[in-house]
Amino acid sequence: ESVFIKGTIFDQAEDLIKGDLVGVLTGPDNVVLKEFTVVSGIVYNFSTSWFSLPGKYSVEVESNNLKNFLNFVVKEVKNIDVNVSGNKILFKNMGNVQYIQRGDIDAVVGDVVYKIPLSFDLKVGESTFVDLSSELPQERYNLSISGNYANFSFENKFIEDNRDLGKKV
């Protein structure tokens, strides 16, 4: 999500004073991510790309001798997008931390269950896939993916057989 900052300056009579506020956004590792200037009373929007790391962020604003700050916390998000496209199961890390998945893909046809081990380690924004056509005979399968964080299922997916001769035997 985006973060919106609205800095306002008031006089002693609590009337809004027009003026510029100089601000600094600091990340969880105490590195300055952005310096900005905003007019008093106007909203400033930070893009979500600044907040990919979980942790505590600080915003400090200053005008003349007036200073104020606020802190906000970005929580750790483990989120994976899983889709079946053709013969492949596609995985994309949509969270803000590394996503490590260990588990199995169960491909079920009738009473037969094929178990395909699943293991990957994705950095933020990275993708990978498993090509089922190199693992399974040609058939329609009900697929279920179980792992350490999430489970997914896909019904009635047709998989072609592109296994090499050694696997077919």
Side-chain angles (χ1 to χ4, degrees):
E1 297 177 11
S2 295
V3 172
F4 298 92
I5 305 277
K6 181 180 180 182
T8 51
I9 310 168
F10 296 98
D11 63 14
Q12 290 178 341
E14 296 186 8
D15 292 328
L16 180 66
I17 299 174
K18 296 268 184 187
D20 288 344
L21 293 155
V22 177
V24 176
L25 171 67
T26 306
D29 49 5
N30 291 324
V31 171
V32 173
L33 298 174
K34 181 85 171 159
E35 294 180 8
F36 60 93
T37 302
V38 63
V39 176
S40 176
I42 304 296
V43 174
Y44 189 84
N45 178 20
F46 290 106
S47 164
T48 55
S49 63
W50 289 103
F51 312 114
S52 61
L53 290 175
K56 184 173 96 175
Y57 289 76
S58 296
V59 178
E60 185 176 305
V61 290
E62 179 179 354
S63 178
N64 295 328
N65 293 329
L66 299 172
K67 280 187 179 184
N68 201 354
F69 74 94
L70 67 94
N71 295 321
F72 61 94
V73 175
V74 174
K75 294 184 178 180
E76 186 175 282
V77 176
K78 290 187 179 183
N79 186 15
I80 189 110
D81 183 41
V82 180
N83 289 302
V84 177
S85 178
N87 297 318
K88 296 178 181 176
I89 300 179
L90 311 169
F91 300 91
K92 182 171 184 179
N93 184 352
M94 303 296 285
N96 64 358
V97 293
Q98 190 171 5
Y99 195 97
I100 301 170
Q101 179 77 19
R102 307 286 181 260
D104 294 303
I105 300 170
D106 289 345
V108 179
V109 57
D111 293 336
V112 179
V113 178
Y114 295 91
K115 280 203 171 291
I116 302 162
L118 180 64
S119 177
F120 58 80
D121 187 345
L122 297 176
K123 293 180 181 158
V124 175
E126 280 187 333
S127 299
T128 191
F129 66 90
V130 175
D131 186 355
L132 297 176
S133 68
S134 62
E135 301 289 333
L136 297 169
Q138 184 165 307
E139 191 64 65
R140 286 200 176 276
Y141 294 92
N142 292 328
L143 304 171
S144 64
I145 302 159
S146 60
N148 43 350
Y149 297 117
N151 298 316
F152 302 91
S153 61
F154 301 93
E155 302 284 321
N156 200 28
K157 296 295 179 178
F158 181 76
I159 305 298
E160 295 176 2
D161 189 350
N162 293 331
R163 296 175 300 159
D164 61 34
L165 185 59
K167 276 194 176 182
K168 286 182 181 181
V169 171

